[in-house]
Amino acid sequence: MIPFLDLRRQYAALAEPLEAAVLETLRGGSYVLGEAVESFEADFAARCGTRHAIAVNSGSSALHLALLAAGVGPGDEVLTVPTTFVATVAAVLYVGAVPVLVDVDPETLTMDPARFEAAITPRTKAVLPVHFHGRLADMAEIGRIAEAHGLIVIEDAAQAHGATRGALSAGGFGALGCFSFYPGKNLGAAGEGGAITTSDPALADRIRALRDWGQVERSVHLLRGYNFRMDTIQGAILGVKLRHLAAWTEGRRWVARQYDAGLSERVTCPAQASGDDHVYHVYAITHPARDGLRAALADAGVATNIHYPRPVHLQPAYADLADGPGSFPVAEAYAARTLSLPIYPELRPEEIAQVISAVNGFVDAQAGQTGRFDRTACPEEIAI
Ligand SMILES: *Cc1c(COP(=O)(O)O)cnc(C)c1O
């Protein structure tokens, strides 16, 4: 079986430096925040082109604290999308604000700026676009509209570590950027982790206090905060892994190019990226017979996944945020047809070829064709 994701391959390539970093932490006797977290924060901020990065214990906590620090609260509306992981929407509810969903663009699957603009009301306080599957949302247009209406821009960059457009990187477009280091993300801890990026020193101070029970100095609780601190061991691991993020991203893009070139025109591949604005956290194709395709791939030894089978407003816990099916036609049509293929830098050329031939075999047979797609081994090696 070709695994959908195999983190053991990444670990095997970095076992020595990772184990050294973990041992050093264990021997150091300090296990929460600390030097390894501080140096990771500095490196990650530099990578995102922001003045600050504040490490926390998950991407969900990052979203929660970004909204709190921005002063979003009861009575405020936050505009975001249904095509995302539920955490984006849940964080808005955590701070007592109202998530207002707007449909996504059918090509990019990120927030449709025109729908965003049309949904602004006097109660709108912030906009929370999601860089879905690792593709940057239209931040120029979203930023322009937000500025014209005095709205705070907070990026959900949990899937987009290192994506860039022009001089800016994910996490550096808005006032605040939120990242997850869940193990399967493009940059993953050996457990939970997250970070908030910002270039505003006042926001950074507030978030640093909020993640540590609102303390501005020991035992002075200026704010009502939380325990959202990052473990030292995760900071140490992330510090080692961050050095490989750029190469891993190139590896993901290489796999994506093989899929783009090799997959049948009977499946819809992700819209072409305009440059470095897509880091392929997920490579999802769409096909009308998605469930049959998924079953055929499983039979052919290819594990797949669905991100996500339902848009947030069709999840039982969040159904009150919209009027049921039909509320967001683009998001719903996409969810019904999407299928995520394995994509990680350690995926082997022969595995990529096997995925392509399994997909093409099914869709060609389905279309009543006799000819089978024949693919020779991929020419280049993936540099990790
Ligand atoms: C993973 C993810 C989150 C949540 O991050 P956790 O670290 O799992 O809490 C939020 N938003 C998006 C888009 C994600 O993919």
Side-chain angles (χ1 to χ4, degrees):
M1 196 76 177
I2 299 173
F4 182 72
L5 175 62
D6 186 359
L7 291 173
R8 287 170 303 187
R9 297 187 193 182
Q10 187 195 63
Y11 173 65
L14 291 182
E16 222 179 291
L18 285 176
E19 287 172 11
V22 169
L23 263 185
E24 191 184 323
T25 305
L26 288 174
R27 289 171 179 158
S30 158
Y31 302 128
V32 177
L33 297 175
E35 254 174 57
V37 170
E38 275 171 39
S39 81
F40 170 67
E41 288 177 330
D43 292 348
F44 193 67
R47 186 73 184 75
C48 297
T50 57
R51 286 172 63 187
H52 306 275
I54 304 98
V56 292
N57 61 348
S58 74
S60 305
S61 298
L63 288 160
H64 186 170
L65 289 194
L67 288 157
L68 270 184
V72 177
D76 295 328
E77 291 175 356
V78 177
L79 289 172
T80 189
V81 289
T83 299
T84 185
F85 184 61
V86 292
T88 316
V89 173
V92 177
L93 295 167
Y94 292 163
V95 301
V98 178
V100 176
L101 305 180
V102 297
D103 212 344
V104 292
D105 176 90
E107 286 272 302
T108 64
L109 305 168
T110 60
M111 178 178 278
D112 180 333
R115 289 198 169 95
F116 154 47
E117 186 161 33
I120 294 170
T121 76
R123 291 178 298 283
T124 310
K125 175 102 175 190
V127 59
L128 178 48
V130 179
H131 304 315
F132 193 60
H133 289 178
R135 183 196 301 272
L136 292 176
D138 185 351
M139 297 310 294
E141 194 58 10
I142 291 168
R144 186 190 64 72
I145 297 164
E147 194 175 345
H149 292 85
L151 308 178
I152 301 156
V153 179
I154 302 173
E155 297 166 63
D156 185 337
Q159 303 186 353
H161 317 71
T164 62
R165 186 177 289 142
L168 297 177
S169 292
F173 291 91
L176 295 148
C178 304
F179 290 88
S180 165
F181 305 121
Y182 184 76
K185 299 289 161 87
N186 287 26
L187 178 64
E192 308 281 353
I196 300 117
T197 51
T198 183
S199 289
D200 180 328
L203 286 175
D205 285 348
R206 213 141 147 210
I207 293 165
R208 270 191 205 98
L210 284 168
R211 78 170 166 186
D212 190 17
W213 286 114
Q215 294 177 96
V216 284
E217 58 185 275
R218 201 180 167 81
S219 295
V220 180
H221 299 266
L222 190 68
L223 302 168
R224 292 185 181 177
Y226 298 82
N227 173 2
F228 284 167
R229 298 174 301 238
M230 178 180 273
D231 293 340
T232 312
I233 219 162
Q234 303 303 348
I237 286 168
L238 288 164
V240 171
K241 287 197 183 184
L242 181 59
R243 299 198 282 270
H244 301 270
L245 178 61
W248 286 337
T249 299
E250 283 318 308
R252 286 175 179 275
R253 288 180 177 143
W254 187 84
V255 177
R257 285 199 299 275
Q258 311 313 305
Y259 284 155
D260 286 345
L263 289 169
S264 162
E265 290 185 350
R266 295 196 175 93
V267 297
T268 306
C269 293
Q272 209 58 46
S274 57
D276 293 335
D277 61 354
H278 201 333
V279 294
Y280 293 97
H281 174 57
V282 169
Y283 188 100
I285 56 175
T286 58
H287 190 268
R290 186 266 313 276
D291 295 333
L293 174 58
R294 188 170 196 208
L297 289 175
D299 287 345
V302 177
T304 57
N305 220 324
I306 299 177
H307 300 93
Y308 298 94
R310 295 181 194 204
V312 176
H313 69 286
L314 298 183
Q315 288 292 349
Y318 302 97
D320 61 335
L321 298 179
D323 294 323
S327 301
F328 303 108
V330 179
E332 291 167 28
Y334 180 74
R337 291 163 164 240
T338 183
L339 185 66
S340 308
L341 303 180
I343 188 164
Y344 38 100
E346 301 83 10
L347 202 60
R348 299 171 192 126
E350 62 273 19
E351 292 176 319
I352 299 167
Q354 195 183 324
V355 173
I356 291 170
S357 99
V359 170
N360 292 353
F362 175 84
V363 298
D364 288 347
Q366 239 245 342
Q369 298 280 319
T370 48
R372 282 219 152 202
F373 188 80
D374 183 43
R375 187 176 172 80
T376 50
C378 300
E380 303 166 55
E381 277 300 321
I382 304 173
I384 298 170

